[in-house]
Amino acid sequence: MSIIQINNLHKTYTDTKVPVKAVNGISLSIEEGEFTAIVGPSGSGKTTFLNLMGGLDTPTEGDILIGDKNIKDLNSRQLIDFRLHHIGFVFQSYNLIPVLTAIENVAFIMELQGIPKKERHQIAMELLKKTGLEGKENYRPGELSGGQQQRVSVARALASKPKFILADEPTANLDSASTEDLLNMMAELNKSENMTFIFSTHDKRVMDKARRIVTIDDGKVVSDV
């Protein structure tokens, strides 16, 4: 079942001396349960494309259908609410709140969703266990390794029960062992929970795990295998 349908997507930046076509006519469908890598050289448009899918940037032209919603038609308030309930994010720099513990970071998104404290605490505990962080619940980000912080980030992304998770260069700051552990964990979540993962990456280790590789160059899809 298709959960994302992208039709003739364009993004042109005009706040430069010469307009930059970062995304130039991409059409793509993502099915539920995919483990997909969006790859390409620096400046190819892959991160812009991921940001457009996540509603973090707005298209110049084209449609992004997530379920029955065309997110380009949502105003800023509606878009924030839609992201909160339907899209999970994992960032290169983790984006954890430094003063909160691991469990508080995971629970925070559920607090924004209005989930009662007892329930969100229980869910956060289960997610930290699922992501291999049992016993680290009360550690703050500064007390965790990079790999552990990224696991908290994945648990937080799962907490909103999203339709899919967008991961932008999630292994960029990790060593080889942490990368392998993280990717194995995400692959297991993909298999056991049927969670859809879409990566933006230039890391061959991510590409080796992916079951679909979409290559972008000059803002266009040049390969989809």
Side-chain angles (χ1 to χ4, degrees):
M1 184 180 76
S2 176
I3 57 171
I4 308 173
Q5 183 64 50
I6 293 157
N7 300 320
N8 193 33
L9 194 64
H10 292 257
K11 178 63 180 182
T12 303
Y13 293 102
T14 56
D15 55 351
T16 53
K17 288 184 178 179
V18 179
V20 176
K21 290 187 175 181
V23 172
N24 191 11
I26 292 178
S27 295
L28 196 68
S29 179
I30 301 286
E31 304 294 313
E32 186 178 8
E34 284 196 24
F35 203 73
T36 293
I38 310 292
V39 307
S42 295
S44 62
K46 62 183 184 295
T47 294
T48 299
F49 180 49
L50 207 76
N51 288 341
L52 289 168
M53 275 196 285
L56 298 174
D57 204 348
T58 54
T60 305
E61 183 184 338
D63 300 304
I64 307 167
L65 296 160
I66 299 176
D68 59 355
K69 289 278 187 187
N70 192 340
I71 65 171
K72 79 163 191 179
D73 295 334
L74 302 178
N75 63 36
S76 57
R77 179 68 253 175
Q78 291 170 329
L79 196 52
I80 289 168
D81 190 61
F82 187 83
R83 286 198 304 262
L84 178 65
H85 290 90
H86 298 288
I87 306 173
F89 295 93
V90 177
F91 298 98
Q92 175 179 336
S93 55
Y94 323 133
N95 285 20
L96 301 175
I97 301 171
V99 297
L100 299 184
T101 63
I103 193 167
E104 288 168 342
N105 266 285
V106 175
F108 182 65
I109 195 165
M110 292 183 281
E111 184 176 354
L112 295 176
Q113 290 178 323
I115 294 172
K117 184 175 182 179
K118 185 176 180 181
E119 184 180 348
R120 63 181 186 253
H121 183 272
Q122 181 182 348
I123 292 169
M125 285 288 287
E126 290 170 358
L127 287 171
L128 288 171
K129 184 176 181 180
K130 193 173 290 185
T131 51
L133 288 171
E134 192 172 15
K136 302 290 186 182
E137 299 89 350
N138 296 315
Y139 284 57
R140 288 184 171 82
E143 300 171 308
L144 299 170
S145 69
Q148 289 169 336
Q149 288 184 66
Q150 199 60 296
R151 284 170 176 260
V152 175
S153 182
V154 173
R156 180 186 58 188
L158 290 165
S160 64
K161 297 184 178 176
K163 292 182 184 294
F164 56 91
I165 290 177
L166 297 175
D168 186 15
E169 300 283 7
T171 60
N173 294 326
L174 304 182
D175 60 29
S176 295
S178 297
T179 292
E180 187 69 18
D181 288 345
L182 181 75
L183 290 174
N184 285 340
M185 179 200 71
M186 293 167 107
E188 179 56 35
L189 288 168
N190 169 256
K191 183 179 176 182
S192 63
E193 308 288 330
N194 200 35
M195 175 53 64
T196 306
F197 283 90
I198 306 163
F199 299 86
S200 165
T201 188
H202 61 266
D203 189 335
K204 188 178 183 300
R205 297 166 296 186
V206 178
M207 297 181 214
D208 288 343
K209 291 282 186 185
R211 296 199 300 274
R212 179 184 180 187
I213 298 178
V214 178
T215 305
I216 293 178
D217 203 2
D218 290 330
K220 299 177 180 178
V221 173
V222 296
S223 173
D224 185 353
V225 293

